[in-house]
Amino acid sequence: MTVRLQHNQPHKKAIKPPSRRTRQQQKQLDRFGHIQPQGSWEIPRKTFHYSIGFLVLYLFKHDFNSEDTYPALVAFLSLVLSTEVLRFSWDSFNVLYCKVMGSLMRKSEIHSRLNGTAYYLMGVLVALYVFPKDIASLSIIYLSWADPTASICGRLWGKYTFKYGNKSLAGTLGAMAIGSLVTNYFFSEFLTESYDPDSSRIPLYAMSLYGGLVAGLSEALGDSAGLDDNLVIPILSSIMLWIPLVFLDL
């Protein structure tokens, strides 16, 4: 008698076609995949940040008038806000906008969060309108240089230091260091109405250290309070510089 051995054939798992939701998610990734994810180095965005600081130094060196900048800043802010309304209202326009400006954007800004440029312009406008030109200019430079420096230092060394929210002690120390250097350069290089190293009761080295503290603290508090750094840093820095230099007349 012949016995036939039957080998059990492994069952092939049926491959399900992607669901409609999965296809939509994949389409979103394809349309916005060029925008850098959270936690990336964001090189174009940081380059833009740093460039604004050099522009402010150039304008201050050539004695720009704050009032002359208001119309251009208000017009630019109006354009940015109008564009934000359009892209949040029409998906096709949002896709086009993100293709053009994607290198300067974050994933969180694609669909619902206001673009950081709007907050940047708001902070700059408030600082220039409310505070003396030298204090406002230095505060904008803190925003332009201390903020991205904090991000770089946080990515490099943040895992070795204490963290609070999305910030780290390493990032805050980086902001303080660049803030001190910028303050020292600014007040030693330019004649300003709010601070004179030769006549002030605050020596330049102490003012430089205080400037670093202002830059580090304002950078750290923005995110901790749930607000955008681009809005908080120039306004809070201006207040903290204005108190000792103008209000207390030190």
Side-chain angles (χ1 to χ4, degrees), residues 235-246:
I235 297 175
L236 184 57
S237 296
S238 294
I239 293 172
M240 295 177 68
L241 291 171
W242 179 85
I243 290 174
L245 297 182
V246 179

Side-chain angles (χ1 to χ4, degrees), residues 56-64 132-138 182-200 204 245:
V56 172
L57 281 177
Y58 173 83
L59 291 174
F60 193 85
K61 181 178 180 180
H62 290 80
D63 196 26
F64 80 98
K133 182 176 69 175
D134 54 345
I135 288 178
S137 298
L138 184 55
V182 167
T183 304
N184 185 279
Y185 172 80
F186 189 83
F187 285 128
S188 61
E189 184 72 16
F190 303 116
L191 293 175
T192 63
E193 59 179 306
S194 301
Y195 176 74
D196 183 356
D198 296 327
S199 60
S200 174
L204 181 58
L245 297 182

Side-chain angles (χ1 to χ4, degrees), residues 69-82 121 125:
T69 67
Y70 299 154
L73 290 172
V74 170
F76 191 19
L77 176 60
S78 300
L79 175 63
V80 170
L81 292 176
S82 300
L121 290 168
L125 268 169

Side-chain angles (χ1 to χ4, degrees), residues 36-54 102-106 120 141-156 167 219 229-230:
Q36 299 182 60
Q38 184 176 358
S40 64
W41 284 100
E42 299 179 330
I43 299 300
R45 190 181 180 104
K46 287 181 172 59
T47 302
F48 176 74
H49 251 276
Y50 281 116
S51 66
I52 297 298
F54 288 106
S103 61
L104 299 176
M105 296 177 64
R106 290 172 174 164
Y120 203 116
I141 297 174
Y142 289 162
L143 169 62
S144 301
W145 292 353
D147 187 34
T149 300
S151 175
I152 293 171
C153 292
R155 281 185 56 83
L156 290 174
K167 306 291 185 177
E219 193 278 332
D229 287 343
N230 295 316

Side-chain angles (χ1 to χ4, degrees), residues 5-227:
L5 299 177
Q6 295 182 349
H7 297 281
N8 293 328
Q9 295 294 330
H11 294 288
K12 293 184 178 179
K13 201 171 184 180
I15 301 176
K16 294 182 180 181
S19 65
R20 182 179 178 181
R21 183 177 179 181
T22 302
R23 290 196 301 269
Q24 289 176 340
Q25 291 174 340
Q26 186 61 46
K27 187 178 179 180
Q28 293 284 352
L29 290 174
D30 293 339
R31 294 194 300 175
F32 304 111
H34 62 291
I35 298 179
Q36 299 182 60
Q38 184 176 358
S40 64
W41 284 100
E42 299 179 330
I43 299 300
R45 190 181 180 104
K46 287 181 172 59
T47 302
F48 176 74
H49 251 276
Y50 281 116
S51 66
I52 297 298
F54 288 106
L55 176 61
V56 172
L57 281 177
Y58 173 83
L59 291 174
F60 193 85
K61 181 178 180 180
H62 290 80
D63 196 26
F64 80 98
N65 188 341
S66 298
E67 294 182 358
D68 292 339
T69 67
Y70 299 154
L73 290 172
V74 170
F76 191 19
L77 176 60
S78 300
L79 175 63
V80 170
L81 292 176
S82 300
T83 304
E84 293 296 283
V85 172
L86 287 174
R87 75 183 188 92
F88 290 149
S89 302
W90 286 280
D91 185 65
S92 57
F93 182 81
N94 189 33
V95 172
L96 176 62
Y97 178 91
C98 291
K99 283 183 178 179
V100 176
M101 303 298 295
S103 61
L104 299 176
M105 296 177 64
R106 290 172 174 164
K107 291 286 188 183
S108 59
E109 297 171 341
I110 294 176
H111 293 296
S112 59
R113 184 181 175 185
L114 201 63
N115 193 300
T117 305
Y119 291 110
Y120 203 116
L121 290 168
M122 291 178 197
V124 168
L125 268 169
V126 172
L128 286 172
Y129 185 78
V130 175
F131 300 97
K133 182 176 69 175
D134 54 345
I135 288 178
S137 298
L138 184 55
S139 298
I140 296 169
I141 297 174
Y142 289 162
L143 169 62
S144 301
W145 292 353
D147 187 34
T149 300
S151 175
I152 293 171
C153 292
R155 281 185 56 83
L156 290 174
W157 302 296
K159 58 185 176 181
Y160 304 114
T161 63
F162 175 75
K163 292 186 177 181
Y164 38 95
N166 293 327
K167 306 291 185 177
S168 67
L169 180 59
T172 300
L173 291 175
M176 291 175 65
I178 197 71
S180 293
L181 292 173
V182 167
T183 304
N184 185 279
Y185 172 80
F186 189 83
F187 285 128
S188 61
E189 184 72 16
F190 303 116
L191 293 175
T192 63
E193 59 179 306
S194 301
Y195 176 74
D196 183 356
D198 296 327
S199 60
S200 174
R201 285 176 282 175
I202 306 175
L204 181 58
Y205 77 87
M207 189 64 223
S208 300
L209 293 175
Y210 179 71
L213 179 64
V214 169
L217 187 60
S218 61
E219 193 278 332
L221 287 179
D223 185 74
S224 301
L227 301 172

